[in-house]
Amino acid sequence: MSLAIMFILLAVLLVCGAPVAVALAGSSLVYLFIAGMPPVSMLHNMINGVNSFPLLAVPFFIMAGHLMNTGGITVRIFNFARAIVGWMPGGLGHVNVGASVIFAGMSGAAVADAGGLGNVEIKAMRDAGYDTPFAVGITAASSTIGPIIPPSLPLVLFGVIAQVSIGQLFLAGIIPGLMMAVALMVMVAWYSRRRNYPRDQAFAWGVLGRASKEAFLPLMTPVIIIGGISTGLFTPTEAAVGAVAYSLVLGLAVYRTLTMRHLLRVTMDTVETTAAIMLIVGAAAVFAWILTANQSAQHLANFVLGFTDNKNLIIVLIMLLVLVVGCFMETIAAITILVPVLLPVAQTVGIDPVHLGIIVILNLMLGLLTPPVGMVLYVLSRVSGVRFEECVKATAPFLIPLLIVLFLLAFIPQLSTLLPTLLYR
């Protein structure tokens, strides 16, 4: 009965618009009172929930992304992608996707991609005569590549909560992220043929050389991060610290585009974002502790397996659940609530936790492109000046290639587990 009251109160608070951290902590506190447990246990579990070395990667990757955006790195990345794929029909659409792939190796967040690159990409596409809805749609869809290709804030949190190697999760995201890019570029090519979109510029080795020279140092960021983690030179947390240090060197000493005012704003944005995430993680730790103490996850696993033990069907059920939750809940909150519940079910039928992580995160990325809580759509609506409803309509066609990739990843686990198996197992 006390568990039922906790879940009902959680649902009511979320529907009423209460912050996720407040909803999780409030419903957990009510459970403790009903169960006659000391409230101090809540504080104890909240502290334990955030007292994790891998979680230190979160603020540093957030700060690295802000520094890259503020330091003018995004323009250099865009110009480099333009020199590589701008010659193709619908060139700026392909540039949009290519720039997101490159920036994904630096920021690890879809909203950072949409807010940083989105402004540059949409303006360039508008000036070149592309339809604004097309520009907004491909910008929104390509931004979801950011949390799949390492580094990735959602994968860090998944790894901490599921107690899975973050290094393996990072490597598992490389092939899926590239698949997403290829699928979106195929969609761009199809659109370009139908609407006769122009090539951006003819391919020229001189242009590529100049763009490569300007973007060389920023392009080393993902090389350093991914290379260092995969070779065991440093941990993901140490890589995040290195990314911040490298971004500071580029912005302050090399390009000299960062000022003290910029640094103050970046620091405040990082503190604000990190605080919100850590509050959710801490509150979710209490919620998960209550579920574990009551063996709720195991009961759910037994309930699901009572209907079917078919691995593929359970994968479909997990995907549907995460997809629906992702439409109504912010990514970090969804991860902290769903993972402790879904992981035992997945492990019971032999789903690799690394494979599960990629499926869950990609599902939640699609939620960023759907109302009512499509954060990427809200960001692009503000950046482009297009109404939110129009952003939803413009993005809808680009969900098709992403859904195709999602189903391929779900039923061909080797696409996710190949690189971790080769380098870790």
Side-chain angles (χ1 to χ4, degrees), residues 35-110:
M37 301 176 69
V40 70
S41 60
M42 180 173 178
L43 294 176
H44 177 73
N45 281 281
M46 287 188 75
I47 293 171
N48 284 341
V50 298
N51 185 24
S52 169
F53 179 71
L55 275 180
L56 283 174
V58 173
F60 287 108
F61 278 134
I62 291 172
M63 190 170 192
H66 283 315
L67 289 170
M68 289 289 177
N69 274 331
T70 307
I73 304 299
T74 50
V75 176
R76 297 173 186 272
I77 293 170
F78 181 78
N79 290 336
F80 176 71
R82 197 172 195 171
I84 295 177
V85 296
W87 58 271
M88 301 171 69
L92 285 181
H94 297 291
V95 171
N96 195 312
V97 177
S100 291
V101 171
I102 297 170
F103 194 67
M106 303 176 189
S107 71

Side-chain angles (χ1 to χ4, degrees), residues 187-211:
M187 190 75 170
V188 169
W190 180 77
Y191 260 109
S192 301
R193 190 173 294 110
R194 288 189 63 196
R195 300 184 180 183
N196 199 29
Y197 285 142
R199 302 171 190 268
D200 178 53
Q201 59 187 20
F203 181 82
W205 286 108
V207 174
L208 178 59
R210 287 192 296 274

Side-chain angles (χ1 to χ4, degrees), residues 12-13 16 38 56 58 74 98 101 119 122 139 152 161 196 253 260 265 315 321 337 383 387 399:
V12 169
L13 289 172
C16 291
L56 283 174
V58 173
T74 50
V101 171
N119 195 25
I122 292 174
T139 302
S152 166
I161 294 170
N196 199 29
M260 290 307 298
R265 187 172 72 247
I315 287 177
L321 173 62
I337 292 173
V383 167
R387 290 189 305 117
L399 292 175

Side-chain angles (χ1 to χ4, degrees), residues 289-356:
W289 169 69
I290 293 172
L291 295 181
T292 302
N294 287 276
Q295 296 184 319
S296 300
Q298 191 58 50
H299 292 320
L300 176 63
N302 294 336
F303 177 75
V304 172
L305 294 174
F307 286 101
T308 178
D309 59 356
N310 185 292
K311 180 178 177 180
N312 290 332
L313 182 56
I314 289 177
I315 287 177
V316 171
L317 293 174
I318 289 174
M319 288 168 58
L320 289 173
L321 173 62
V322 177
L323 205 56
V324 171
V325 171
C327 292
F328 294 93
M329 191 173 290
E330 190 267 341
T331 301
I332 303 302
I335 292 172
T336 54
I337 292 173
L338 289 177
V339 172
V341 177
L342 295 179
L343 188 62
V345 179
Q347 289 178 320
T348 302
V349 294
I351 299 174
D352 191 308
V354 172
H355 179 214
L356 177 69

Side-chain angles (χ1 to χ4, degrees), residues 82 92 120-130 132:
R82 197 172 195 171
L92 285 181
V120 178
E121 293 167 339
I122 292 174
K123 183 180 184 303
M125 294 180 76
R126 276 174 167 168
D127 292 345
Y130 287 78
T132 298

